[in-house]
Structures are given as structure tokens and as C-alpha cells.
Amino acid sequence: MKEYYLGLDLGGTKILAGLADAQGNIITRSRKETEAELGEDKIIENMIETIEEVLNKAGVSKEQVRTLGIGSPGPLDAKKGIIIENSNLPWKNVQLVKKMETALGINTLLKNDANAAALGEKWFGAGKKVDNMVYLTISTGIGGGAIINKELFSGVNDNACEIGHTVIDPDGPLCGCGNHGCLESFSSGTSIGKRAREAAAAGKSKKMLDLADNIIEDIDAVICAQAAYQGDQIAIDIFEKAGYYLGIGLGNVVNIFNTEMIILGGGVMKASDLFLDQALKTMKDIALPGPLEIVTVKEAELGSDIGLMGAIAVAMEDRLIKNE
Ligand SMILES: [Zn+2]
């Protein structure tokens, strides 16, 4: 009997599911609204329906599916299969794995989305040829995942690689986690947007105000990037500064992990030409010669598929390691 793997990428607004063959090629995929506002039971119902749709489209039965991998925003307990809570989803201590296994009868594994994305890039993306890599997603927040000797390094209770919450400057801005000066408070899309609004409110950037039709609240990282591409010096400086602090974070990653590769993904990377050179320069200043010598920094390759391919990699991780 042919065997298959399922991946499900759970987001605050949409659910993506895909069915893959034993080589990790996606055969069918489906998408549904999360409908987070309708509550926990409805979200789970939507997840189950998305998976059933994917299987129906492919004409594959549940019995032919080896494992379902789920990538979800956290914090969560991957070993217990529990989502602890999430700011975009209305749930607390949800036994997600148990509920999915009961409903579908398919062995299910859960990982946080940044860890899943790291696995996706390792097995299907930019990290295919290396055994040791760190993945960083730079989007609304900054998350990470480390692959050490081909395996995801999760930490004892699943909290490893919170690189976004490593402190870069204790006198820096307040972070959502309560600390001051976390990497996330300098270089995430959210923090870039915040800096941009502050600059516009202080009358420093007419360009950003124009692009936002004079509504300061509408200024975000995307508008800041547009202004920078149109030559607005303040916007350019905001990205360069974000790049500088990202470079400190990357230098720390190089010194701590000594991996062959660091892969950068997430929405903010769409504007990478505005900050990456600065980030790499700072990284090289901070990193020690030994680990710096062997590390390569690459952009993620999976693009908008990273969530889904990450979830499939979660489902296939054991098989992929054995097959190598
Ligand atoms: Zn923080």
C-alpha cells in the first residue's frame, strides 16, 4: 500500500492543508478560513474539514496516511500535543493532538510554526545539503528553530531558539514579552512599523504620511519599505537600524550555534535589500573567526509554502532522517 503524509499549517486567519507522497511532493492541497472568532470547536472542525477535503480530492483514505504534522503558532507543548495559548486564536490549553487523533484516527504531531518552518527549510528548502542550521523568521515577531545533526533541537520543554527574545540592548524598547531591548523589539515588522509611526508623528517623514493618506495609524513596515524604496532617508535609516540590531542577533547565533548555515525567512525579508547588507556587516563584526569561517547566511527558499512544507516535514521528520 502506498503511504502518504499530511501537513496542516494553522494560522490566525487561514488553514492550509496538503497531502504529500513518501518523497514529500505535495499531491493535493486545500485552504479554509480559520474563523478564529467562532471559537475553539469551530477552528478544530475547520481543520478536520480541510484535511478531509484534501484526502477526498486525492482519493486517498485515512488508513493510507502515516502521520499528520501540524504547525501552529505557540506557545505550545509539542510533546504533550497541547496548544497553551495564542494571541490570535481564542484558546487555552487545548489538547489539539488528542482531538485530531480522535476525530481522524491519524497519528498526529504538533510543532510551533517557527520550528516547523526550520524543518521545512532543512528537508525541502535552502538547508537540504547541511546537517546543522538555524532558521530565523522575521515577520510580525521574530521566531527561530535550530536543526542540530539533522534533528530539530526543541529544548527540554519546547522553548529553545526564542532568538527574538534574546536581549540585544537592556536599555532598548519594551518588548511584548515584558523585557527591554529584545531582538524582536528592534528588527521585527511590528517594531519597524512602530519606529515609522513615531518618525511620522514627529514630522520627520512626509513621504510615509503621504503613502498612508495622512493616517499615522496606517503606517506599517510595508509603507516604511515603500518610502525607503522611494528614497525617504528616515525610512532608509529605520531599516538600516533594524538591520544593525539583526546583525547583532545573527552574530550571537553564529557564536552560540556554530552551524554551517543560517536561513532567514518571513515577510520582512521581502525588503531584505534595505537591511541585509547592514545585518551581515554587523554579524561579521560580532562573530568569532572560527564559527564565522564556516557559516553561510541564505534566504529561505520555500516562500509562501513554508508553513505547509514545514508541517509536512514535521510529519515526515523520522522517515527523512532514516532515509538519508
Ligand atoms: Zn521579548
Side-chain angles (χ1 to χ4, degrees), residues 165 175 177 182:
H165 297 288
C175 179
C177 74
C182 292

Side-chain angles (χ1 to χ4, degrees), residues 296-315:
T296 313
V297 178
K298 277 197 171 189
E299 295 196 27
E301 284 179 3
L302 296 175
S304 56
D305 265 349
I306 194 161
L308 189 52
M309 290 312 295
I312 289 169
V314 168

Side-chain angles (χ1 to χ4, degrees), residues 140 164-167 169-188 190-192 194-195 198:
T140 47
H165 297 288
T166 52
V167 176
D169 175 3
D171 297 321
L174 182 67
C175 179
C177 74
N179 285 329
H180 279 268
C182 292
L183 177 59
E184 183 166 305
S185 72
F186 287 112
S187 306
S188 64
T190 307
S191 64
I192 290 168
K194 199 168 166 221
R195 292 298 104 68
E198 285 164 4

Side-chain angles (χ1 to χ4, degrees), residues 107-153:
N107 175 43
T108 302
L109 295 170
L110 173 69
K111 298 270 186 237
N112 82 49
D113 44 12
N115 280 185
L119 282 169
E121 284 292 332
K122 157 69 190 111
W123 292 106
F124 306 121
K128 265 185 243 171
K129 293 198 174 73
V130 299
D131 291 345
N132 300 281
M133 52 157 268
V134 174
Y135 171 78
L136 265 190
T137 173
I138 310 160
S139 53
T140 47
I142 293 183
I147 309 288
I148 306 294
N149 294 330
K150 295 181 197 171
E151 281 184 56
L152 181 71
F153 174 68

Side-chain angles (χ1 to χ4, degrees), residues 44 48 52 62 97-106:
I44 292 172
I48 292 163
E52 282 172 343
K62 288 168 188 161
V97 164
K98 203 170 158 193
K99 288 187 184 212
M100 295 301 281
E101 285 183 338
T102 307
L104 294 164
I106 299 170

